[in-house]
């Protein structure tokens, strides 16, 4: 953080294998993201199901990290979680100290999102769901919400993880949701108020 910054706010991006988590962090980070992508090999085919992501050539093996300076005192840290089942044991550690989370979804493989939602609900972490655009057929939000068994209060949005503007809007939706979640509870009120910054702070 800069010398004047005293609030580091942590957001985690989770979801299934190959849903675009690294792409989202990369598109919105103000710094060159730290990532732990490794080239996918034939040996990994016996471990990871790549049948639905045949064009994928690299995969995250630890986490991605990006940063957004909100103002002189507040910095947002983004952590992209690995999607493969064999790395799910890392998720609980990544969730520690997290203000909120984005569950990124590929609607062609919606079942891959259930574990992320289950773990976030288990931790009591506020989250939103963002459907990444892979150019396939569009689904009605009501159908996606039903398929994911989402609570009515959980925001569901569409996005293009390659677009900085679209990814920023996802984060804005998340911090507004965090503000709404904690406003009436008094829990983490100060931290949530810091996170719920005006839209122009995400310039």
């Amino acid at each position: 953080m800069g010398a004047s910054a005293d609030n580091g706010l942590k957001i985690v991006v989770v979801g299934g294998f190959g849903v675009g988590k690294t792409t989202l962090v990369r598109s919105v980070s103000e710094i060159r993201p730290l990532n732990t992508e490794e080239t996918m090999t034939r040996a990994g085919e016996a471990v990871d199901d790549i049948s639905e992501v045949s064009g994928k050539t690299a995969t995250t093996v630890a986490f991605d990290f990006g940063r957004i300076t909100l103002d002189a005192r507040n910095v947002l840290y983004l952590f992209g979680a690995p999607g493969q089942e064999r790395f799910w044991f890392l998720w609980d550690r990544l969730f520690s100290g997290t203000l909120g989370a984005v569950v990124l979804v590929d609607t062609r493989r919606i079942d891959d999102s259930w574990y992320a939602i289950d773990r976030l609900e288990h931790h009591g972490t506020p989250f939103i769901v963002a459907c990444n655009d892979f150019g396939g057929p569009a689904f009605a939000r009501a159908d996606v919400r039903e398929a994911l068994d989402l609570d009515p209060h959980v925001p569901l949005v569409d996005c293009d993880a390659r677009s900085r503007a679209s990814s920023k809007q996802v984060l804005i939706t998340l911090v507004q949701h965090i503000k709404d979640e904690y406003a009436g509870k008094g829990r983490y009120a100060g931290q949530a108020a810091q996170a719920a910054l005006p839209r122009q702070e995400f310039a």
Side-chain angles (χ1 to χ4, degrees), residues 24-58:
L24 187 146
V25 172
R26 183 181 294 143
S27 72
V28 79
S29 176
E30 69 186 16
I31 62 172
R32 181 178 180 180
L34 167 68
N35 61 61
T36 55
E37 281 195 315
E38 296 292 342
T39 301
M40 296 175 63
T41 64
R42 289 188 177 276
E45 294 180 9
V47 182
D48 302 320
D49 181 5
I50 63 170
S51 59
E52 299 293 335
V53 288
S54 56
K56 191 171 175 62
T57 60

PDB file of all heavy atoms in Angstrom, residues 24-58:
ATOM      1  N   LEU A  24     -10.609 -11.997 -15.303  1.00  0.00           N
ATOM      2  CA  LEU A  24     -11.266 -10.886 -14.621  1.00  0.00           C
ATOM      3  C   LEU A  24     -10.268 -10.097 -13.788  1.00  0.00           C
ATOM      4  O   LEU A  24     -10.245  -8.856 -13.841  1.00  0.00           O
ATOM      5  CB  LEU A  24     -12.412 -11.399 -13.757  1.00  0.00           C
ATOM      6  CG  LEU A  24     -13.297 -10.332 -13.118  1.00  0.00           C
ATOM      7  CD1 LEU A  24     -14.749 -10.816 -13.015  1.00  0.00           C
ATOM      8  CD2 LEU A  24     -12.809  -9.922 -11.737  1.00  0.00           C
ATOM      9  N   VAL A  25      -9.444 -10.787 -13.009  1.00  0.00           N
ATOM     10  CA  VAL A  25      -8.446 -10.086 -12.187  1.00  0.00           C
ATOM     11  C   VAL A  25      -7.499  -9.297 -13.071  1.00  0.00           C
ATOM     12  O   VAL A  25      -7.175  -8.133 -12.795  1.00  0.00           O
ATOM     13  CB  VAL A  25      -7.670 -11.091 -11.306  1.00  0.00           C
ATOM     14  CG1 VAL A  25      -6.508 -10.395 -10.598  1.00  0.00           C
ATOM     15  CG2 VAL A  25      -8.601 -11.745 -10.289  1.00  0.00           C
ATOM     16  N   ARG A  26      -7.072  -9.894 -14.162  1.00  0.00           N
ATOM     17  CA  ARG A  26      -6.142  -9.239 -15.077  1.00  0.00           C
ATOM     18  C   ARG A  26      -6.764  -7.995 -15.719  1.00  0.00           C
ATOM     19  O   ARG A  26      -6.103  -6.976 -15.882  1.00  0.00           O
ATOM     20  CB  ARG A  26      -5.702 -10.228 -16.146  1.00  0.00           C
ATOM     21  CG  ARG A  26      -4.668  -9.689 -17.130  1.00  0.00           C
ATOM     22  CD  ARG A  26      -4.334 -10.746 -18.153  1.00  0.00           C
ATOM     23  NE  ARG A  26      -3.657 -11.879 -17.544  1.00  0.00           N
ATOM     24  CZ  ARG A  26      -3.839 -13.144 -17.902  1.00  0.00           C
ATOM     25  NH1 ARG A  26      -4.723 -13.448 -18.853  1.00  0.00           N
ATOM     26  NH2 ARG A  26      -3.172 -14.115 -17.304  1.00  0.00           N
ATOM     27  N   SER A  27      -8.043  -8.076 -16.055  1.00  0.00           N
ATOM     28  CA  SER A  27      -8.687  -6.980 -16.785  1.00  0.00           C
ATOM     29  C   SER A  27      -8.889  -5.741 -15.927  1.00  0.00           C
ATOM     30  O   SER A  27      -8.903  -4.619 -16.440  1.00  0.00           O
ATOM     31  CB  SER A  27     -10.032  -7.438 -17.358  1.00  0.00           C
ATOM     32  OG  SER A  27     -11.000  -7.596 -16.340  1.00  0.00           O
ATOM     33  N   VAL A  28      -9.048  -5.916 -14.629  1.00  0.00           N
ATOM     34  CA  VAL A  28      -9.426  -4.785 -13.778  1.00  0.00           C
ATOM     35  C   VAL A  28      -8.289  -4.288 -12.884  1.00  0.00           C
ATOM     36  O   VAL A  28      -8.356  -3.187 -12.348  1.00  0.00           O
ATOM     37  CB  VAL A  28     -10.661  -5.177 -12.927  1.00  0.00           C
ATOM     38  CG1 VAL A  28     -10.261  -6.027 -11.734  1.00  0.00           C
ATOM     39  CG2 VAL A  28     -11.439  -3.954 -12.492  1.00  0.00           C
ATOM     40  N   SER A  29      -7.223  -5.059 -12.734  1.00  0.00           N
ATOM     41  CA  SER A  29      -6.132  -4.670 -11.840  1.00  0.00           C
ATOM     42  C   SER A  29      -5.355  -3.491 -12.407  1.00  0.00           C
ATOM     43  O   SER A  29      -5.084  -3.420 -13.608  1.00  0.00           O
ATOM     44  CB  SER A  29      -5.187  -5.857 -11.623  1.00  0.00           C
ATOM     45  OG  SER A  29      -4.065  -5.458 -10.836  1.00  0.00           O
ATOM     46  N   GLU A  30      -4.951  -2.571 -11.520  1.00  0.00           N
ATOM     47  CA  GLU A  30      -4.157  -1.423 -11.942  1.00  0.00           C
ATOM     48  C   GLU A  30      -2.677  -1.770 -12.074  1.00  0.00           C
ATOM     49  O   GLU A  30      -1.903  -1.006 -12.646  1.00  0.00           O
ATOM     50  CB  GLU A  30      -4.312  -0.282 -10.946  1.00  0.00           C
ATOM     51  CG  GLU A  30      -3.658  -0.560  -9.595  1.00  0.00           C
ATOM     52  CD  GLU A  30      -3.932   0.512  -8.564  1.00  0.00           C
ATOM     53  OE1 GLU A  30      -4.869   1.314  -8.784  1.00  0.00           O
ATOM     54  OE2 GLU A  30      -3.219   0.545  -7.539  1.00  0.00           O
ATOM     55  N   ILE A  31      -2.287  -2.893 -11.518  1.00  0.00           N
ATOM     56  CA  ILE A  31      -0.909  -3.354 -11.620  1.00  0.00           C
ATOM     57  C   ILE A  31      -0.877  -4.606 -12.481  1.00  0.00           C
ATOM     58  O   ILE A  31      -1.919  -5.220 -12.735  1.00  0.00           O
ATOM     59  CB  ILE A  31      -0.302  -3.680 -10.227  1.00  0.00           C
ATOM     60  CG1 ILE A  31      -1.091  -4.826  -9.565  1.00  0.00           C
ATOM     61  CG2 ILE A  31      -0.253  -2.439  -9.357  1.00  0.00           C
ATOM     62  CD1 ILE A  31      -0.452  -5.348  -8.292  1.00  0.00           C
ATOM     63  N   ARG A  32       0.303  -4.948 -12.944  1.00  0.00           N
ATOM     64  CA  ARG A  32       0.438  -6.229 -13.631  1.00  0.00           C
ATOM     65  C   ARG A  32       0.164  -7.332 -12.608  1.00  0.00           C
ATOM     66  O   ARG A  32       0.884  -7.458 -11.618  1.00  0.00           O
ATOM     67  CB  ARG A  32       1.836  -6.379 -14.206  1.00  0.00           C
ATOM     68  CG  ARG A  32       2.041  -7.682 -14.960  1.00  0.00           C
ATOM     69  CD  ARG A  32       3.430  -7.758 -15.553  1.00  0.00           C
ATOM     70  NE  ARG A  32       3.632  -9.000 -16.277  1.00  0.00           N
ATOM     71  CZ  ARG A  32       4.748  -9.328 -16.898  1.00  0.00           C
ATOM     72  NH1 ARG A  32       5.790  -8.493 -16.878  1.00  0.00           N
ATOM     73  NH2 ARG A  32       4.845 -10.479 -17.533  1.00  0.00           N
ATOM     74  N   PRO A  33      -0.881  -8.118 -12.821  1.00  0.00           N
ATOM     75  CA  PRO A  33      -1.266  -9.076 -11.782  1.00  0.00           C
ATOM     76  C   PRO A  33      -0.188 -10.124 -11.534  1.00  0.00           C
ATOM     77  O   PRO A  33       0.522 -10.542 -12.447  1.00  0.00           O
ATOM     78  CB  PRO A  33      -2.529  -9.729 -12.355  1.00  0.00           C
ATOM     79  CG  PRO A  33      -3.005  -8.805 -13.411  1.00  0.00           C
ATOM     80  CD  PRO A  33      -1.785  -8.153 -13.968  1.00  0.00           C
ATOM     81  N   LEU A  34      -0.099 -10.502 -10.272  1.00  0.00           N
ATOM     82  CA  LEU A  34       0.691 -11.675  -9.921  1.00  0.00           C
ATOM     83  C   LEU A  34      -0.179 -12.887 -10.193  1.00  0.00           C
ATOM     84  O   LEU A  34      -1.313 -12.966  -9.728  1.00  0.00           O
ATOM     85  CB  LEU A  34       1.071 -11.642  -8.441  1.00  0.00           C
ATOM     86  CG  LEU A  34       1.633 -12.940  -7.853  1.00  0.00           C
ATOM     87  CD1 LEU A  34       3.002 -13.238  -8.458  1.00  0.00           C
ATOM     88  CD2 LEU A  34       1.712 -12.855  -6.341  1.00  0.00           C
ATOM     89  N   ASN A  35       0.314 -13.807 -10.995  1.00  0.00           N
ATOM     90  CA  ASN A  35      -0.467 -15.024 -11.205  1.00  0.00           C
ATOM     91  C   ASN A  35       0.444 -16.238 -11.135  1.00  0.00           C
ATOM     92  O   ASN A  35       1.660 -16.132 -11.242  1.00  0.00           O
ATOM     93  CB  ASN A  35      -1.244 -14.989 -12.536  1.00  0.00           C
ATOM     94  CG  ASN A  35      -0.349 -14.882 -13.744  1.00  0.00           C
ATOM     95  OD1 ASN A  35       0.468 -15.759 -13.984  1.00  0.00           O
ATOM     96  ND2 ASN A  35      -0.491 -13.807 -14.518  1.00  0.00           N
ATOM     97  N   THR A  36      -0.171 -17.369 -10.917  1.00  0.00           N
ATOM     98  CA  THR A  36       0.578 -18.624 -10.780  1.00  0.00           C
ATOM     99  C   THR A  36       0.102 -19.609 -11.839  1.00  0.00           C
ATOM    100  O   THR A  36      -0.115 -20.780 -11.562  1.00  0.00           O
ATOM    101  CB  THR A  36       0.388 -19.211  -9.373  1.00  0.00           C
ATOM    102  OG1 THR A  36      -1.016 -19.364  -9.107  1.00  0.00           O
ATOM    103  CG2 THR A  36       1.003 -18.302  -8.317  1.00  0.00           C
ATOM    104  N   GLU A  37      -0.057 -19.098 -13.051  1.00  0.00           N
ATOM    105  CA  GLU A  37      -0.484 -19.958 -14.145  1.00  0.00           C
ATOM    106  C   GLU A  37       0.669 -20.846 -14.609  1.00  0.00           C
ATOM    107  O   GLU A  37       1.805 -20.407 -14.727  1.00  0.00           O
ATOM    108  CB  GLU A  37      -0.988 -19.128 -15.325  1.00  0.00           C
ATOM    109  CG  GLU A  37      -2.400 -18.600 -15.148  1.00  0.00           C
ATOM    110  CD  GLU A  37      -2.973 -18.123 -16.469  1.00  0.00           C
ATOM    111  OE1 GLU A  37      -2.259 -17.430 -17.201  1.00  0.00           O
ATOM    112  OE2 GLU A  37      -4.122 -18.447 -16.757  1.00  0.00           O
ATOM    113  N   GLU A  38       0.337 -22.078 -14.877  1.00  0.00           N
ATOM    114  CA  GLU A  38       1.291 -23.030 -15.428  1.00  0.00           C
ATOM    115  C   GLU A  38       0.689 -23.651 -16.683  1.00  0.00           C
ATOM    116  O   GLU A  38      -0.529 -23.796 -16.808  1.00  0.00           O
ATOM    117  CB  GLU A  38       1.628 -24.125 -14.408  1.00  0.00           C
ATOM    118  CG  GLU A  38       2.335 -23.622 -13.155  1.00  0.00           C
ATOM    119  CD  GLU A  38       3.748 -23.112 -13.434  1.00  0.00           C
ATOM    120  OE1 GLU A  38       4.294 -23.470 -14.510  1.00  0.00           O
ATOM    121  OE2 GLU A  38       4.294 -22.380 -12.592  1.00  0.00           O
ATOM    122  N   THR A  39       1.566 -24.038 -17.605  1.00  0.00           N
ATOM    123  CA  THR A  39       1.113 -24.663 -18.842  1.00  0.00           C
ATOM    124  C   THR A  39       0.473 -26.012 -18.552  1.00  0.00           C
ATOM    125  O   THR A  39       1.005 -26.814 -17.769  1.00  0.00           O
ATOM    126  CB  THR A  39       2.297 -24.851 -19.808  1.00  0.00           C
ATOM    127  OG1 THR A  39       2.877 -23.573 -20.087  1.00  0.00           O
ATOM    128  CG2 THR A  39       1.841 -25.502 -21.103  1.00  0.00           C
ATOM    129  N   MET A  40      -0.668 -26.236 -19.136  1.00  0.00           N
ATOM    130  CA  MET A  40      -1.349 -27.517 -18.957  1.00  0.00           C
ATOM    131  C   MET A  40      -0.666 -28.578 -19.811  1.00  0.00           C
ATOM    132  O   MET A  40      -0.304 -28.323 -20.957  1.00  0.00           O
ATOM    133  CB  MET A  40      -2.823 -27.385 -19.332  1.00  0.00           C
ATOM    134  CG  MET A  40      -3.583 -26.425 -18.437  1.00  0.00           C
ATOM    135  SD  MET A  40      -5.291 -26.153 -18.962  1.00  0.00           S
ATOM    136  CE  MET A  40      -5.975 -27.795 -18.785  1.00  0.00           C
ATOM    137  N   THR A  41      -0.505 -29.744 -19.225  1.00  0.00           N
ATOM    138  CA  THR A  41       0.181 -30.839 -19.918  1.00  0.00           C
ATOM    139  C   THR A  41      -0.745 -32.045 -20.030  1.00  0.00           C
ATOM    140  O   THR A  41      -1.811 -32.107 -19.418  1.00  0.00           O
ATOM    141  CB  THR A  41       1.450 -31.250 -19.146  1.00  0.00           C
ATOM    142  OG1 THR A  41       1.058 -31.783 -17.863  1.00  0.00           O
ATOM    143  CG2 THR A  41       2.370 -30.054 -18.933  1.00  0.00           C
ATOM    144  N   ARG A  42      -0.297 -33.027 -20.803  1.00  0.00           N
ATOM    145  CA  ARG A  42      -1.084 -34.259 -20.948  1.00  0.00           C
ATOM    146  C   ARG A  42      -1.223 -34.989 -19.612  1.00  0.00           C
ATOM    147  O   ARG A  42      -2.222 -35.654 -19.363  1.00  0.00           O
ATOM    148  CB  ARG A  42      -0.430 -35.179 -21.980  1.00  0.00           C
ATOM    149  CG  ARG A  42      -0.550 -34.665 -23.412  1.00  0.00           C
ATOM    150  CD  ARG A  42      -0.061 -35.707 -24.413  1.00  0.00           C
ATOM    151  NE  ARG A  42      -0.243 -35.253 -25.783  1.00  0.00           N
ATOM    152  CZ  ARG A  42      -1.368 -35.372 -26.459  1.00  0.00           C
ATOM    153  NH1 ARG A  42      -2.416 -35.934 -25.889  1.00  0.00           N
ATOM    154  NH2 ARG A  42      -1.457 -34.928 -27.695  1.00  0.00           N
ATOM    155  N   ALA A  43      -0.224 -34.839 -18.747  1.00  0.00           N
ATOM    156  CA  ALA A  43      -0.293 -35.510 -17.449  1.00  0.00           C
ATOM    157  C   ALA A  43      -1.479 -35.011 -16.632  1.00  0.00           C
ATOM    158  O   ALA A  43      -2.103 -35.761 -15.882  1.00  0.00           O
ATOM    159  CB  ALA A  43       1.009 -35.290 -16.679  1.00  0.00           C
ATOM    160  N   GLY A  44      -1.801 -33.722 -16.800  1.00  0.00           N
ATOM    161  CA  GLY A  44      -2.905 -33.154 -16.043  1.00  0.00           C
ATOM    162  C   GLY A  44      -4.264 -33.608 -16.516  1.00  0.00           C
ATOM    163  O   GLY A  44      -5.263 -33.480 -15.796  1.00  0.00           O
ATOM    164  N   GLU A  45      -4.334 -34.146 -17.732  1.00  0.00           N
ATOM    165  CA  GLU A  45      -5.618 -34.578 -18.257  1.00  0.00           C
ATOM    166  C   GLU A  45      -6.212 -35.721 -17.438  1.00  0.00           C
ATOM    167  O   GLU A  45      -7.427 -35.913 -17.415  1.00  0.00           O
ATOM    168  CB  GLU A  45      -5.464 -35.012 -19.715  1.00  0.00           C
ATOM    169  CG  GLU A  45      -5.103 -33.862 -20.655  1.00  0.00           C
ATOM    170  CD  GLU A  45      -4.946 -34.317 -22.083  1.00  0.00           C
ATOM    171  OE1 GLU A  45      -5.286 -35.493 -22.361  1.00  0.00           O
ATOM    172  OE2 GLU A  45      -4.479 -33.528 -22.912  1.00  0.00           O
ATOM    173  N   ALA A  46      -5.351 -36.481 -16.774  1.00  0.00           N
ATOM    174  CA  ALA A  46      -5.832 -37.582 -15.952  1.00  0.00           C
ATOM    175  C   ALA A  46      -6.396 -37.093 -14.624  1.00  0.00           C
ATOM    176  O   ALA A  46      -7.073 -37.843 -13.922  1.00  0.00           O
ATOM    177  CB  ALA A  46      -4.690 -38.569 -15.685  1.00  0.00           C
ATOM    178  N   VAL A  47      -6.130 -35.820 -14.287  1.00  0.00           N
ATOM    179  CA  VAL A  47      -6.558 -35.262 -13.002  1.00  0.00           C
ATOM    180  C   VAL A  47      -7.688 -34.254 -13.174  1.00  0.00           C
ATOM    181  O   VAL A  47      -8.675 -34.268 -12.432  1.00  0.00           O
ATOM    182  CB  VAL A  47      -5.365 -34.582 -12.281  1.00  0.00           C
ATOM    183  CG1 VAL A  47      -5.802 -34.039 -10.920  1.00  0.00           C
ATOM    184  CG2 VAL A  47      -4.208 -35.547 -12.136  1.00  0.00           C
ATOM    185  N   ASP A  48      -7.548 -33.350 -14.143  1.00  0.00           N
ATOM    186  CA  ASP A  48      -8.528 -32.283 -14.364  1.00  0.00           C
ATOM    187  C   ASP A  48      -9.394 -32.606 -15.583  1.00  0.00           C
ATOM    188  O   ASP A  48      -8.883 -33.030 -16.616  1.00  0.00           O
ATOM    189  CB  ASP A  48      -7.822 -30.940 -14.603  1.00  0.00           C
ATOM    190  CG  ASP A  48      -6.930 -30.546 -13.442  1.00  0.00           C
ATOM    191  OD1 ASP A  48      -7.343 -30.754 -12.290  1.00  0.00           O
ATOM    192  OD2 ASP A  48      -5.814 -30.032 -13.692  1.00  0.00           O
ATOM    193  N   ASP A  49     -10.690 -32.384 -15.449  1.00  0.00           N
ATOM    194  CA  ASP A  49     -11.613 -32.597 -16.560  1.00  0.00           C
ATOM    195  C   ASP A  49     -11.531 -31.395 -17.488  1.00  0.00           C
ATOM    196  O   ASP A  49     -12.012 -30.314 -17.165  1.00  0.00           O
ATOM    197  CB  ASP A  49     -13.035 -32.767 -16.024  1.00  0.00           C
ATOM    198  CG  ASP A  49     -14.042 -33.020 -17.139  1.00  0.00           C
ATOM    199  OD1 ASP A  49     -13.626 -33.154 -18.309  1.00  0.00           O
ATOM    200  OD2 ASP A  49     -15.249 -33.072 -16.823  1.00  0.00           O
ATOM    201  N   ILE A  50     -10.922 -31.579 -18.659  1.00  0.00           N
ATOM    202  CA  ILE A  50     -10.759 -30.462 -19.593  1.00  0.00           C
ATOM    203  C   ILE A  50     -11.695 -30.594 -20.795  1.00  0.00           C
ATOM    204  O   ILE A  50     -11.549 -29.878 -21.781  1.00  0.00           O
ATOM    205  CB  ILE A  50      -9.299 -30.369 -20.084  1.00  0.00           C
ATOM    206  CG1 ILE A  50      -8.909 -31.613 -20.873  1.00  0.00           C
ATOM    207  CG2 ILE A  50      -8.351 -30.134 -18.915  1.00  0.00           C
ATOM    208  CD1 ILE A  50      -7.565 -31.498 -21.584  1.00  0.00           C
ATOM    209  N   SER A  51     -12.657 -31.492 -20.701  1.00  0.00           N
ATOM    210  CA  SER A  51     -13.528 -31.757 -21.850  1.00  0.00           C
ATOM    211  C   SER A  51     -14.321 -30.527 -22.266  1.00  0.00           C
ATOM    212  O   SER A  51     -14.637 -30.361 -23.448  1.00  0.00           O
ATOM    213  CB  SER A  51     -14.490 -32.911 -21.526  1.00  0.00           C
ATOM    214  OG  SER A  51     -15.293 -32.601 -20.393  1.00  0.00           O
ATOM    215  N   GLU A  52     -14.641 -29.651 -21.308  1.00  0.00           N
ATOM    216  CA  GLU A  52     -15.434 -28.467 -21.620  1.00  0.00           C
ATOM    217  C   GLU A  52     -14.584 -27.226 -21.824  1.00  0.00           C
ATOM    218  O   GLU A  52     -15.109 -26.146 -22.086  1.00  0.00           O
ATOM    219  CB  GLU A  52     -16.447 -28.213 -20.497  1.00  0.00           C
ATOM    220  CG  GLU A  52     -17.430 -29.341 -20.278  1.00  0.00           C
ATOM    221  CD  GLU A  52     -18.369 -29.514 -21.453  1.00  0.00           C
ATOM    222  OE1 GLU A  52     -18.592 -28.531 -22.182  1.00  0.00           O
ATOM    223  OE2 GLU A  52     -18.885 -30.635 -21.644  1.00  0.00           O
ATOM    224  N   VAL A  53     -13.270 -27.343 -21.645  1.00  0.00           N
ATOM    225  CA  VAL A  53     -12.370 -26.183 -21.808  1.00  0.00           C
ATOM    226  C   VAL A  53     -11.190 -26.603 -22.686  1.00  0.00           C
ATOM    227  O   VAL A  53     -10.030 -26.376 -22.355  1.00  0.00           O
ATOM    228  CB  VAL A  53     -11.877 -25.641 -20.445  1.00  0.00           C
ATOM    229  CG1 VAL A  53     -13.001 -24.934 -19.715  1.00  0.00           C
ATOM    230  CG2 VAL A  53     -11.309 -26.774 -19.582  1.00  0.00           C
ATOM    231  N   SER A  54     -11.491 -27.195 -23.830  1.00  0.00           N
ATOM    232  CA  SER A  54     -10.458 -27.791 -24.676  1.00  0.00           C
ATOM    233  C   SER A  54      -9.461 -26.762 -25.203  1.00  0.00           C
ATOM    234  O   SER A  54      -8.334 -27.107 -25.544  1.00  0.00           O
ATOM    235  CB  SER A  54     -11.117 -28.519 -25.847  1.00  0.00           C
ATOM    236  OG  SER A  54     -11.963 -27.639 -26.579  1.00  0.00           O
ATOM    237  N   GLY A  55      -9.859 -25.490 -25.266  1.00  0.00           N
ATOM    238  CA  GLY A  55      -8.945 -24.470 -25.774  1.00  0.00           C
ATOM    239  C   GLY A  55      -8.048 -23.876 -24.714  1.00  0.00           C
ATOM    240  O   GLY A  55      -7.200 -23.017 -25.007  1.00  0.00           O
ATOM    241  N   LYS A  56      -8.185 -24.299 -23.480  1.00  0.00           N
ATOM    242  CA  LYS A  56      -7.410 -23.750 -22.370  1.00  0.00           C
ATOM    243  C   LYS A  56      -6.013 -24.348 -22.369  1.00  0.00           C
ATOM    244  O   LYS A  56      -5.850 -25.567 -22.406  1.00  0.00           O
ATOM    245  CB  LYS A  56      -8.121 -24.040 -21.045  1.00  0.00           C
ATOM    246  CG  LYS A  56      -7.556 -23.307 -19.839  1.00  0.00           C
ATOM    247  CD  LYS A  56      -8.471 -23.516 -18.651  1.00  0.00           C
ATOM    248  CE  LYS A  56      -7.898 -22.901 -17.376  1.00  0.00           C
ATOM    249  NZ  LYS A  56      -7.738 -21.436 -17.488  1.00  0.00           N
ATOM    250  N   THR A  57      -4.980 -23.494 -22.305  1.00  0.00           N
ATOM    251  CA  THR A  57      -3.598 -23.967 -22.368  1.00  0.00           C
ATOM    252  C   THR A  57      -2.819 -23.747 -21.077  1.00  0.00           C
ATOM    253  O   THR A  57      -1.735 -24.288 -20.906  1.00  0.00           O
ATOM    254  CB  THR A  57      -2.842 -23.256 -23.506  1.00  0.00           C
ATOM    255  OG1 THR A  57      -2.848 -21.833 -23.275  1.00  0.00           O
ATOM    256  CG2 THR A  57      -3.490 -23.561 -24.851  1.00  0.00           C
ATOM    257  N   ALA A  58      -3.356 -22.920 -20.152  1.00  0.00           N
ATOM    258  CA  ALA A  58      -2.682 -22.664 -18.881  1.00  0.00           C
ATOM    259  C   ALA A  58      -3.726 -22.610 -17.785  1.00  0.00           C
ATOM    260  O   ALA A  58      -4.910 -22.346 -18.025  1.00  0.00           O
ATOM    261  CB  ALA A  58      -1.912 -21.350 -18.937  1.00  0.00           C
TER     262      ALA A  58
END
